[in-house]
Short mmCIF file of all heavy atoms in Angstrom, two decimals:
data_model
loop_
_atom_site.label_atom_id
_atom_site.label_comp_id
_atom_site.label_asym_id
_atom_site.label_seq_id
_atom_site.Cartn_x
_atom_site.Cartn_y
_atom_site.Cartn_z
N MET A 49 67.42 142.59 169.89
CA MET A 49 67.54 143.04 171.28
C MET A 49 67.34 141.84 172.20
O MET A 49 66.33 141.19 172.17
CB MET A 49 66.47 144.09 171.56
CG MET A 49 66.69 144.71 172.90
SD MET A 49 65.24 145.36 173.70
CE MET A 49 63.92 144.44 173.03
N THR A 50 68.32 141.52 173.00
CA THR A 50 68.20 140.33 173.83
C THR A 50 68.53 140.56 175.30
O THR A 50 68.10 139.79 176.13
CB THR A 50 69.13 139.21 173.33
OG1 THR A 50 70.45 139.74 173.20
CG2 THR A 50 68.67 138.67 172.00
N SER A 51 69.28 141.58 175.63
CA SER A 51 69.71 141.72 177.01
C SER A 51 68.93 142.81 177.74
O SER A 51 68.43 143.75 177.13
CB SER A 51 71.20 142.07 177.06
OG SER A 51 71.39 143.41 176.66
N PRO A 52 68.83 142.68 179.07
CA PRO A 52 68.18 143.73 179.85
C PRO A 52 68.85 145.10 179.66
O PRO A 52 68.18 146.13 179.75
CB PRO A 52 68.34 143.23 181.29
CG PRO A 52 68.34 141.74 181.17
CD PRO A 52 69.10 141.47 179.89
N ARG A 53 70.15 145.10 179.38
CA ARG A 53 70.82 146.38 179.15
C ARG A 53 70.27 147.07 177.89
O ARG A 53 69.97 148.26 177.89
CB ARG A 53 72.33 146.14 178.99
CG ARG A 53 73.13 147.41 178.81
CD ARG A 53 74.56 147.10 178.36
NE ARG A 53 75.37 148.29 178.36
CZ ARG A 53 76.10 148.69 179.40
NH1 ARG A 53 76.10 147.98 180.50
NH2 ARG A 53 76.80 149.79 179.33
N GLU A 54 70.13 146.28 176.81
CA GLU A 54 69.56 146.81 175.58
C GLU A 54 68.10 147.22 175.80
O GLU A 54 67.63 148.19 175.23
CB GLU A 54 69.66 145.78 174.46
CG GLU A 54 71.09 145.57 173.99
CD GLU A 54 71.22 144.36 173.08
OE1 GLU A 54 70.76 143.27 173.49
OE2 GLU A 54 71.78 144.50 172.00
N TYR A 55 67.42 146.43 176.62
CA TYR A 55 66.03 146.74 176.97
C TYR A 55 65.94 148.12 177.62
O TYR A 55 65.10 148.93 177.26
CB TYR A 55 65.52 145.65 177.92
CG TYR A 55 64.20 145.93 178.58
CD1 TYR A 55 62.99 145.69 177.94
CD2 TYR A 55 64.17 146.41 179.89
CE1 TYR A 55 61.79 145.92 178.58
CE2 TYR A 55 62.98 146.64 180.53
CZ TYR A 55 61.78 146.40 179.87
OH TYR A 55 60.60 146.64 180.52
N ARG A 56 66.83 148.39 178.55
CA ARG A 56 66.80 149.70 179.22
C ARG A 56 67.10 150.84 178.24
O ARG A 56 66.52 151.92 178.34
CB ARG A 56 67.81 149.74 180.37
CG ARG A 56 67.38 148.88 181.55
CD ARG A 56 68.35 149.08 182.71
NE ARG A 56 68.33 147.98 183.64
CZ ARG A 56 68.25 148.15 184.97
NH1 ARG A 56 68.18 149.34 185.48
NH2 ARG A 56 68.24 147.11 185.76
N ASP A 57 68.03 150.60 177.30
CA ASP A 57 68.30 151.61 176.28
C ASP A 57 67.05 151.89 175.45
O ASP A 57 66.73 153.04 175.14
CB ASP A 57 69.43 151.15 175.34
CG ASP A 57 70.79 151.17 176.02
OD1 ASP A 57 70.92 151.84 177.08
OD2 ASP A 57 71.72 150.53 175.51
N LEU A 58 66.33 150.82 175.10
CA LEU A 58 65.10 150.98 174.33
C LEU A 58 64.04 151.71 175.15
O LEU A 58 63.32 152.56 174.63
CB LEU A 58 64.59 149.61 173.87
CG LEU A 58 63.30 149.63 173.05
CD1 LEU A 58 63.48 150.46 171.78
CD2 LEU A 58 62.89 148.20 172.70
N VAL A 59 63.94 151.38 176.43
CA VAL A 59 62.96 152.04 177.29
C VAL A 59 63.21 153.56 177.34
O VAL A 59 62.28 154.35 177.27
CB VAL A 59 62.99 151.44 178.71
CG1 VAL A 59 62.25 152.34 179.71
CG2 VAL A 59 62.35 150.05 178.70
N ARG A 60 64.48 153.95 177.39
CA ARG A 60 64.79 155.39 177.40
C ARG A 60 64.28 156.06 176.12
O ARG A 60 63.74 157.16 176.15
CB ARG A 60 66.30 155.61 177.53
CG ARG A 60 66.81 155.30 178.92
CD ARG A 60 68.27 155.74 179.09
NE ARG A 60 68.81 155.21 180.33
CZ ARG A 60 69.41 154.02 180.44
NH1 ARG A 60 69.60 153.27 179.36
NH2 ARG A 60 69.84 153.59 181.60
N GLN A 61 64.46 155.37 174.98
CA GLN A 61 63.95 155.91 173.72
C GLN A 61 62.42 155.94 173.71
O GLN A 61 61.81 156.90 173.23
CB GLN A 61 64.43 155.05 172.54
CG GLN A 61 65.94 155.07 172.35
CD GLN A 61 66.38 154.06 171.28
OE1 GLN A 61 65.78 153.97 170.22
NE2 GLN A 61 67.41 153.30 171.59
N LEU A 62 61.81 154.88 174.26
CA LEU A 62 60.35 154.81 174.25
C LEU A 62 59.73 155.88 175.13
O LEU A 62 58.68 156.44 174.80
CB LEU A 62 59.89 153.41 174.69
CG LEU A 62 60.07 152.32 173.63
CD1 LEU A 62 59.87 150.94 174.24
CD2 LEU A 62 59.10 152.55 172.47
N ILE A 63 60.37 156.19 176.25
CA ILE A 63 59.87 157.26 177.12
C ILE A 63 59.81 158.57 176.33
O ILE A 63 58.83 159.33 176.42
CB ILE A 63 60.75 157.39 178.37
CG1 ILE A 63 60.52 156.20 179.31
CG2 ILE A 63 60.47 158.71 179.10
CD1 ILE A 63 61.48 156.11 180.48
N GLU A 64 60.82 158.81 175.52
CA GLU A 64 60.88 160.02 174.70
C GLU A 64 59.77 159.99 173.63
O GLU A 64 59.07 160.98 173.41
CB GLU A 64 62.26 160.10 174.04
CG GLU A 64 62.53 161.37 173.28
CD GLU A 64 62.60 162.59 174.19
OE1 GLU A 64 62.96 162.44 175.37
OE2 GLU A 64 62.26 163.69 173.70
N ILE A 65 59.62 158.84 172.97
CA ILE A 65 58.62 158.70 171.90
C ILE A 65 57.20 158.85 172.45
O ILE A 65 56.35 159.49 171.84
CB ILE A 65 58.80 157.34 171.19
CG1 ILE A 65 60.14 157.33 170.42
CG2 ILE A 65 57.65 157.05 170.23
CD1 ILE A 65 60.59 155.95 169.96
N VAL A 66 56.97 158.27 173.64
CA VAL A 66 55.65 158.39 174.27
C VAL A 66 55.39 159.85 174.66
O VAL A 66 54.28 160.37 174.48
CB VAL A 66 55.55 157.46 175.50
CG1 VAL A 66 54.32 157.79 176.34
CG2 VAL A 66 55.51 156.00 175.05
N SER A 67 56.42 160.53 175.14
CA SER A 67 56.24 161.93 175.55
C SER A 67 55.95 162.83 174.35
O SER A 67 55.32 163.87 174.47
CB SER A 67 57.46 162.43 176.32
OG SER A 67 58.53 162.70 175.43
N GLN A 68 56.41 162.39 173.15
CA GLN A 68 56.14 163.15 171.92
C GLN A 68 54.76 162.82 171.35
O GLN A 68 54.32 163.45 170.40
CB GLN A 68 57.22 162.84 170.87
CG GLN A 68 58.59 163.40 171.22
CD GLN A 68 59.72 162.77 170.40
OE1 GLN A 68 59.49 161.85 169.61
NE2 GLN A 68 60.92 163.26 170.59
N GLY A 69 54.12 161.78 171.90
CA GLY A 69 52.77 161.43 171.45
C GLY A 69 52.73 160.51 170.24
O GLY A 69 51.65 160.27 169.69
N THR A 70 53.87 159.98 169.83
CA THR A 70 53.90 159.08 168.67
C THR A 70 53.39 157.69 169.03
O THR A 70 52.72 157.04 168.23
CB THR A 70 55.33 158.98 168.11
OG1 THR A 70 55.80 160.29 167.84
CG2 THR A 70 55.37 158.18 166.83
N LEU A 71 53.74 157.24 170.22
CA LEU A 71 53.24 155.96 170.72
C LEU A 71 52.44 156.19 171.98
O LEU A 71 52.77 157.06 172.80
CB LEU A 71 54.40 154.99 171.02
CG LEU A 71 55.13 154.34 169.85
CD1 LEU A 71 56.28 153.48 170.37
CD2 LEU A 71 54.18 153.49 169.01
N LEU A 72 51.39 155.38 172.11
CA LEU A 72 50.53 155.43 173.29
C LEU A 72 50.74 154.13 174.07
O LEU A 72 50.81 153.05 173.47
CB LEU A 72 49.08 155.52 172.81
CG LEU A 72 47.97 155.83 173.80
CD1 LEU A 72 48.10 157.28 174.27
CD2 LEU A 72 46.62 155.60 173.12
N ILE A 73 50.84 154.21 175.39
CA ILE A 73 50.93 153.00 176.20
C ILE A 73 49.52 152.51 176.48
O ILE A 73 48.71 153.23 177.06
CB ILE A 73 51.65 153.29 177.54
CG1 ILE A 73 53.09 153.75 177.29
CG2 ILE A 73 51.64 152.04 178.42
CD1 ILE A 73 53.84 154.14 178.56
N VAL A 74 49.22 151.29 176.02
CA VAL A 74 47.87 150.74 176.23
C VAL A 74 47.83 149.72 177.36
O VAL A 74 46.77 149.37 177.86
CB VAL A 74 47.29 150.13 174.92
CG1 VAL A 74 47.07 151.22 173.90
CG2 VAL A 74 48.19 149.06 174.36
N HIS A 75 49.00 149.19 177.74
CA HIS A 75 49.08 148.31 178.91
C HIS A 75 50.48 148.45 179.49
O HIS A 75 51.46 148.50 178.75
CB HIS A 75 48.83 146.85 178.54
CG HIS A 75 49.28 145.91 179.62
ND1 HIS A 75 48.51 145.61 180.72
CD2 HIS A 75 50.44 145.24 179.79
CE1 HIS A 75 49.19 144.80 181.52
NE2 HIS A 75 50.36 144.56 180.98
N ALA A 76 50.57 148.48 180.82
CA ALA A 76 51.88 148.59 181.46
C ALA A 76 51.87 147.85 182.78
O ALA A 76 51.00 148.07 183.63
CB ALA A 76 52.23 150.06 181.70
N ASP A 77 52.83 146.93 182.96
CA ASP A 77 52.97 146.24 184.24
C ASP A 77 53.55 147.17 185.31
O ASP A 77 53.39 146.92 186.49
CB ASP A 77 53.88 145.02 184.09
CG ASP A 77 53.15 143.84 183.44
OD1 ASP A 77 51.91 143.84 183.42
OD2 ASP A 77 53.84 142.92 182.97
N CYS A 78 54.26 148.21 184.87
CA CYS A 78 54.81 149.20 185.80
C CYS A 78 55.08 150.46 184.99
O CYS A 78 54.98 150.44 183.76
CB CYS A 78 56.10 148.68 186.43
SG CYS A 78 57.44 148.49 185.24
N LEU A 79 55.41 151.54 185.65
CA LEU A 79 55.80 152.74 184.94
C LEU A 79 57.10 152.46 184.18
O LEU A 79 57.96 151.74 184.67
CB LEU A 79 56.02 153.90 185.91
CG LEU A 79 54.79 154.42 186.64
CD1 LEU A 79 55.20 155.45 187.70
CD2 LEU A 79 53.79 155.02 185.67
N LEU A 80 57.22 153.03 182.98
CA LEU A 80 58.45 152.81 182.20
C LEU A 80 59.68 153.28 182.98
O LEU A 80 60.73 152.63 182.95
CB LEU A 80 58.37 153.55 180.86
CG LEU A 80 57.64 152.85 179.73
CD1 LEU A 80 57.64 153.72 178.49
CD2 LEU A 80 58.27 151.49 179.42
N ASN A 81 59.55 154.38 183.69
CA ASN A 81 60.68 154.90 184.48
C ASN A 81 61.19 153.90 185.51
O ASN A 81 62.37 153.90 185.85
CB ASN A 81 60.25 156.17 185.21
CG ASN A 81 60.39 157.40 184.34
OD1 ASN A 81 61.33 157.48 183.55
ND2 ASN A 81 59.48 158.33 184.46
N GLU A 82 60.27 153.05 186.00
CA GLU A 82 60.63 152.13 187.08
C GLU A 82 61.66 151.10 186.65
O GLU A 82 62.42 150.60 187.47
CB GLU A 82 59.38 151.42 187.60
CG GLU A 82 58.47 152.31 188.42
CD GLU A 82 57.31 151.51 188.99
OE1 GLU A 82 57.48 150.93 190.07
OE2 GLU A 82 56.25 151.49 188.35
N VAL A 83 61.68 150.73 185.36
CA VAL A 83 62.64 149.71 184.92
C VAL A 83 64.05 150.27 184.81
O VAL A 83 65.00 149.52 184.60
CB VAL A 83 62.23 149.05 183.58
CG1 VAL A 83 60.78 148.58 183.64
CG2 VAL A 83 62.44 149.98 182.42
N LEU A 84 64.19 151.60 184.93
CA LEU A 84 65.52 152.22 184.85
C LEU A 84 66.17 152.36 186.21
O LEU A 84 67.32 152.75 186.32
CB LEU A 84 65.41 153.59 184.17
CG LEU A 84 64.82 153.58 182.75
CD1 LEU A 84 64.68 154.99 182.23
CD2 LEU A 84 65.66 152.73 181.82
N GLY A 85 65.44 152.04 187.26
CA GLY A 85 65.96 152.16 188.61
C GLY A 85 66.88 151.01 188.97
O GLY A 85 67.07 150.08 188.19
N PRO A 86 67.46 151.05 190.17
CA PRO A 86 68.43 150.02 190.59
C PRO A 86 67.80 148.66 190.85
O PRO A 86 68.48 147.65 190.78
CB PRO A 86 69.03 150.61 191.87
CG PRO A 86 68.01 151.58 192.37
CD PRO A 86 67.29 152.11 191.16
N ILE A 87 66.51 148.63 191.12
CA ILE A 87 65.83 147.35 191.42
C ILE A 87 64.72 147.12 190.40
O ILE A 87 63.89 148.00 190.17
CB ILE A 87 65.23 147.39 192.85
CG1 ILE A 87 66.34 147.56 193.88
CG2 ILE A 87 64.43 146.12 193.13
CD1 ILE A 87 65.83 147.93 195.27
N TRP A 88 64.74 145.93 189.76
CA TRP A 88 63.67 145.59 188.82
C TRP A 88 62.35 145.49 189.58
O TRP A 88 62.30 144.86 190.63
CB TRP A 88 63.96 144.24 188.15
CG TRP A 88 65.10 144.24 187.20
CD1 TRP A 88 66.35 143.74 187.43
CD2 TRP A 88 65.13 144.74 185.86
NE1 TRP A 88 67.14 143.91 186.30
CE2 TRP A 88 66.41 144.52 185.33
CE3 TRP A 88 64.16 145.38 185.05
CZ2 TRP A 88 66.78 144.90 184.04
CZ3 TRP A 88 64.53 145.76 183.77
CH2 TRP A 88 65.82 145.51 183.28
N PRO A 89 61.28 146.08 189.05
CA PRO A 89 59.98 146.00 189.73
C PRO A 89 59.31 144.63 189.62
O PRO A 89 58.27 144.40 190.24
CB PRO A 89 59.15 147.09 189.05
CG PRO A 89 59.86 147.48 187.82
CD PRO A 89 61.27 147.00 187.91
N GLY A 90 59.88 143.70 188.86
CA GLY A 90 59.29 142.36 188.77
C GLY A 90 60.20 141.46 187.95
O GLY A 90 61.14 141.92 187.31
N ASP A 91 59.89 140.13 187.95
CA ASP A 91 60.70 139.17 187.18
C ASP A 91 60.34 139.17 185.70
O ASP A 91 61.16 138.82 184.86
CB ASP A 91 60.48 137.76 187.73
CG ASP A 91 61.18 137.54 189.05
OD1 ASP A 91 62.06 138.35 189.39
OD2 ASP A 91 60.84 136.58 189.75
N SER A 92 59.10 139.52 185.41
CA SER A 92 58.63 139.51 184.04
C SER A 92 57.75 140.74 183.83
O SER A 92 56.72 140.88 184.49
CB SER A 92 57.83 138.23 183.77
OG SER A 92 57.35 138.23 182.44
N LEU A 93 58.18 141.62 182.95
CA LEU A 93 57.48 142.89 182.76
C LEU A 93 57.08 143.05 181.31
O LEU A 93 57.87 142.76 180.41
CB LEU A 93 58.38 144.06 183.17
CG LEU A 93 58.90 144.02 184.61
CD1 LEU A 93 59.98 145.07 184.81
CD2 LEU A 93 57.77 144.20 185.59
N SER A 94 55.86 143.51 181.11
CA SER A 94 55.39 143.68 179.74
C SER A 94 54.67 145.01 179.57
O SER A 94 53.99 145.50 180.49
CB SER A 94 54.51 142.47 179.41
OG SER A 94 53.35 142.83 178.77
N HIS A 95 54.89 145.62 178.41
CA HIS A 95 54.24 146.88 178.06
C HIS A 95 53.71 146.78 176.64
O HIS A 95 54.42 146.28 175.76
CB HIS A 95 55.23 148.05 178.15
CG HIS A 95 55.68 148.37 179.54
ND1 HIS A 95 56.64 147.63 180.19
CD2 HIS A 95 55.29 149.34 180.40
CE1 HIS A 95 56.82 148.14 181.41
NE2 HIS A 95 56.02 149.17 181.56
N ASP A 96 52.50 147.26 176.42
CA ASP A 96 51.91 147.27 175.09
C ASP A 96 51.76 148.71 174.62
O ASP A 96 51.32 149.58 175.39
CB ASP A 96 50.54 146.59 175.09
CG ASP A 96 50.64 145.11 175.44
OD1 ASP A 96 51.67 144.50 175.10
OD2 ASP A 96 49.71 144.59 176.07
N PHE A 97 52.12 148.93 173.36
CA PHE A 97 52.08 150.27 172.78
C PHE A 97 51.24 150.26 171.52
O PHE A 97 51.11 149.23 170.85
CB PHE A 97 53.50 150.73 172.39
CG PHE A 97 54.44 150.82 173.55
CD1 PHE A 97 55.09 149.68 174.00
CD2 PHE A 97 54.69 152.03 174.19
CE1 PHE A 97 55.98 149.75 175.08
CE2 PHE A 97 55.58 152.10 175.25
CZ PHE A 97 56.21 150.96 175.70
N GLN A 98 50.72 151.43 171.17
CA GLN A 98 50.02 151.57 169.90
C GLN A 98 50.46 152.86 169.25
O GLN A 98 50.57 153.91 169.90
CB GLN A 98 48.51 151.58 170.13
CG GLN A 98 47.73 151.53 168.82
CD GLN A 98 46.29 151.12 169.02
OE1 GLN A 98 45.74 151.30 170.10
NE2 GLN A 98 45.68 150.56 168.00
N CYS A 99 50.73 152.77 167.94
CA CYS A 99 51.11 153.96 167.17
C CYS A 99 49.89 154.85 167.00
O CYS A 99 48.83 154.39 166.56
CB CYS A 99 51.66 153.53 165.81
SG CYS A 99 52.04 154.93 164.74
N THR A 100 50.03 156.12 167.34
CA THR A 100 48.89 157.03 167.25
C THR A 100 48.63 157.46 165.80
O THR A 100 47.60 158.04 165.51
CB THR A 100 49.12 158.28 168.12
OG1 THR A 100 50.34 158.91 167.72
CG2 THR A 100 49.19 157.93 169.59
N THR A 101 49.56 157.16 164.89
CA THR A 101 49.38 157.52 163.48
C THR A 101 48.69 156.41 162.70
O THR A 101 47.70 156.65 162.02
CB THR A 101 50.74 157.83 162.82
OG1 THR A 101 51.38 158.86 163.56
CG2 THR A 101 50.56 158.27 161.38
N CYS A 102 49.20 155.17 162.81
CA CYS A 102 48.68 154.08 161.97
C CYS A 102 47.95 153.01 162.77
O CYS A 102 47.37 152.10 162.19
CB CYS A 102 49.80 153.46 161.16
SG CYS A 102 51.02 152.59 162.15
N GLY A 103 48.00 153.09 164.08
CA GLY A 103 47.27 152.12 164.90
C GLY A 103 48.00 150.81 165.13
O GLY A 103 47.49 149.93 165.80
N ARG A 104 49.21 150.66 164.55
CA ARG A 104 49.97 149.42 164.72
C ARG A 104 50.33 149.22 166.20
O ARG A 104 50.68 150.17 166.89
CB ARG A 104 51.23 149.49 163.87
CG ARG A 104 51.84 148.14 163.59
CD ARG A 104 52.92 148.28 162.54
NE ARG A 104 53.51 146.96 162.27
CZ ARG A 104 54.69 146.79 161.68
NH1 ARG A 104 55.39 147.83 161.30
NH2 ARG A 104 55.16 145.58 161.49
N ALA A 105 50.26 147.95 166.64
CA ALA A 105 50.53 147.63 168.04
C ALA A 105 51.88 146.94 168.19
O ALA A 105 52.31 146.20 167.31
CB ALA A 105 49.42 146.74 168.59
N PHE A 106 52.53 147.20 169.32
CA PHE A 106 53.85 146.63 169.62
C PHE A 106 53.87 146.14 171.06
O PHE A 106 53.23 146.75 171.93
CB PHE A 106 54.95 147.68 169.44
CG PHE A 106 55.03 148.26 168.07
CD1 PHE A 106 54.26 149.37 167.74
CD2 PHE A 106 55.86 147.71 167.11
CE1 PHE A 106 54.31 149.92 166.46
CE2 PHE A 106 55.93 148.26 165.83
CZ PHE A 106 55.15 149.36 165.51
N LYS A 107 54.63 145.06 171.28
CA LYS A 107 54.79 144.55 172.64
C LYS A 107 56.26 144.61 173.04
O LYS A 107 57.13 144.17 172.28
CB LYS A 107 54.28 143.11 172.74
CG LYS A 107 54.42 142.53 174.14
CD LYS A 107 53.77 141.16 174.28
CE LYS A 107 52.28 141.23 174.51
NZ LYS A 107 51.92 141.78 175.83
N LEU A 108 56.48 145.13 174.23
CA LEU A 108 57.82 145.17 174.83
C LEU A 108 57.78 144.29 176.07
O LEU A 108 56.87 144.40 176.88
CB LEU A 108 58.14 146.61 175.24
CG LEU A 108 59.43 146.84 176.03
CD1 LEU A 108 60.65 146.69 175.14
CD2 LEU A 108 59.41 148.22 176.67
N HIS A 109 58.75 143.39 176.16
CA HIS A 109 58.76 142.57 177.37
C HIS A 109 60.19 142.25 177.79
O HIS A 109 61.11 142.26 176.97
CB HIS A 109 57.96 141.28 177.18
CG HIS A 109 58.47 140.39 176.11
ND1 HIS A 109 59.40 139.42 176.33
CD2 HIS A 109 58.21 140.34 174.79
CE1 HIS A 109 59.68 138.79 175.22
NE2 HIS A 109 58.98 139.34 174.25
N VAL A 110 60.34 141.97 179.06
CA VAL A 110 61.65 141.60 179.58
C VAL A 110 61.45 140.54 180.66
O VAL A 110 60.47 140.57 181.42
CB VAL A 110 62.41 142.83 180.14
CG1 VAL A 110 61.70 143.43 181.35
CG2 VAL A 110 63.85 142.47 180.51
N ASP A 111 62.34 139.56 180.65
CA ASP A 111 62.39 138.56 181.70
C ASP A 111 63.67 138.83 182.48
O ASP A 111 64.76 138.46 182.05
CB ASP A 111 62.40 137.17 181.07
CG ASP A 111 62.43 136.04 182.10
OD1 ASP A 111 62.93 136.27 183.22
OD2 ASP A 111 61.97 134.95 181.77
N THR A 112 63.53 139.50 183.59
CA THR A 112 64.72 139.94 184.33
C THR A 112 65.40 138.77 185.04
O THR A 112 66.58 138.83 185.36
CB THR A 112 64.38 141.03 185.36
OG1 THR A 112 63.45 140.49 186.31
CG2 THR A 112 63.76 142.23 184.69
N TYR A 113 64.64 137.70 185.25
CA TYR A 113 65.21 136.52 185.92
C TYR A 113 66.13 135.75 184.97
O TYR A 113 67.25 135.39 185.31
CB TYR A 113 64.09 135.62 186.45
CG TYR A 113 64.58 134.47 187.27
CD1 TYR A 113 65.00 134.67 188.59
CD2 TYR A 113 64.65 133.19 186.74
CE1 TYR A 113 65.46 133.62 189.35
CE2 TYR A 113 65.11 132.12 187.50
CZ TYR A 113 65.52 132.34 188.79
OH TYR A 113 65.98 131.29 189.55
N HIS A 114 65.65 135.52 183.74
CA HIS A 114 66.43 134.76 182.76
C HIS A 114 67.27 135.67 181.86
O HIS A 114 68.10 135.19 181.10
CB HIS A 114 65.51 133.89 181.91
CG HIS A 114 64.82 132.83 182.69
ND1 HIS A 114 63.50 132.93 183.09
CD2 HIS A 114 65.26 131.64 183.18
CE1 HIS A 114 63.18 131.84 183.79
NE2 HIS A 114 64.22 131.05 183.86
N GLY A 115 67.02 136.97 181.93
CA GLY A 115 67.87 137.90 181.20
C GLY A 115 67.53 138.07 179.73
O GLY A 115 68.40 138.43 178.94
N GLY A 116 66.29 137.83 179.33
CA GLY A 116 65.90 138.02 177.93
C GLY A 116 64.91 139.16 177.79
O GLY A 116 64.19 139.49 178.72
N ALA A 117 64.90 139.76 176.61
CA ALA A 117 63.97 140.85 176.37
C ALA A 117 63.56 140.84 174.90
O ALA A 117 64.24 140.27 174.06
CB ALA A 117 64.61 142.18 176.73
N GLY A 118 62.46 141.49 174.61
CA GLY A 118 62.01 141.54 173.22
C GLY A 118 61.13 142.75 172.95
O GLY A 118 60.54 143.35 173.85
N TRP A 119 61.09 143.12 171.67
CA TRP A 119 60.27 144.22 171.19
C TRP A 119 59.76 143.81 169.82
O TRP A 119 60.59 143.57 168.92
CB TRP A 119 61.12 145.50 171.09
CG TRP A 119 60.52 146.61 170.27
CD1 TRP A 119 60.89 146.97 169.01
CD2 TRP A 119 59.49 147.50 170.66
NE1 TRP A 119 60.14 148.04 168.60
CE2 TRP A 119 59.26 148.40 169.58
CE3 TRP A 119 58.71 147.64 171.82
CZ2 TRP A 119 58.31 149.40 169.64
CZ3 TRP A 119 57.77 148.64 171.86
CH2 TRP A 119 57.57 149.51 170.80
N GLU A 120 58.45 143.62 169.69
CA GLU A 120 57.96 143.16 168.40
C GLU A 120 56.56 143.67 168.10
O GLU A 120 55.81 143.98 169.01
CB GLU A 120 57.98 141.61 168.34
CG GLU A 120 57.10 140.93 169.33
CD GLU A 120 57.90 140.13 170.37
OE1 GLU A 120 59.09 139.86 170.14
OE2 GLU A 120 57.34 139.83 171.42
N PRO A 121 56.26 143.76 166.80
CA PRO A 121 54.91 144.14 166.43
C PRO A 121 53.91 143.05 166.80
O PRO A 121 54.26 141.88 166.85
CB PRO A 121 54.98 144.31 164.90
CG PRO A 121 56.30 143.85 164.47
CD PRO A 121 57.15 143.55 165.66
N VAL A 122 52.69 143.46 167.08
CA VAL A 122 51.62 142.53 167.42
C VAL A 122 50.58 142.55 166.31
O VAL A 122 50.18 143.63 165.86
CB VAL A 122 50.95 142.94 168.76
CG1 VAL A 122 49.80 142.01 169.08
CG2 VAL A 122 51.96 142.96 169.89
N ASN A 123 50.21 141.39 165.83
CA ASN A 123 49.20 141.33 164.76
C ASN A 123 47.80 141.35 165.35
O ASN A 123 47.55 140.75 166.36
CB ASN A 123 49.37 140.06 163.92
CG ASN A 123 50.67 140.12 163.13
OD1 ASN A 123 51.04 141.17 162.61
ND2 ASN A 123 51.37 138.99 163.06
ZN1 ZN B 467 52.50 153.91 162.90
#
């Protein structure tokens, strides 16, 4: 996943997963819904998640200025 477009697609899936209770948001620079709007809420946005089943942590981030994004497990 490298583009803000793919990032937004992932955010839509994550909103669903969070609403189902599978992932918990442990840190958020903004509401997940906000990144789907017409204006980015910031140049660099990061969200941390934790799996409610196994405790594994994941980081989602996007650099809207440079156009890069990532989703990866956190050790
Ligand atoms: Zn898990």
Side-chain angles (χ1 to χ4, degrees):
M49 189 207 26
T50 52
S51 73
R53 183 193 188 91
E54 290 168 308
Y55 169 82
R56 289 186 202 227
D57 288 343
L58 180 59
V59 165
R60 288 189 190 89
Q61 295 173 45
L62 285 168
I63 288 171
E64 187 66 28
I65 292 166
V66 167
S67 76
Q68 291 164 356
T70 306
L71 286 177
L72 191 70
I73 298 177
V74 294
H75 164 82
D77 282 343
C78 66
L79 292 173
L80 277 179
N81 275 324
E82 287 184 86
V83 309
L84 301 176
I87 298 167
W88 290 103
D91 286 344
S92 179
L93 302 169
S94 135
H95 292 79
D96 296 328
F97 299 83
Q98 188 162 25
C99 176
T100 57
T101 303
C102 67
R104 200 169 180 198
F106 301 88
K107 181 174 278 291
L108 173 73
H109 61 90
V110 65
D111 181 334
T112 61
Y113 186 77
H114 295 102
W119 164 256
E120 62 246 343
V122 177
N123 292 320

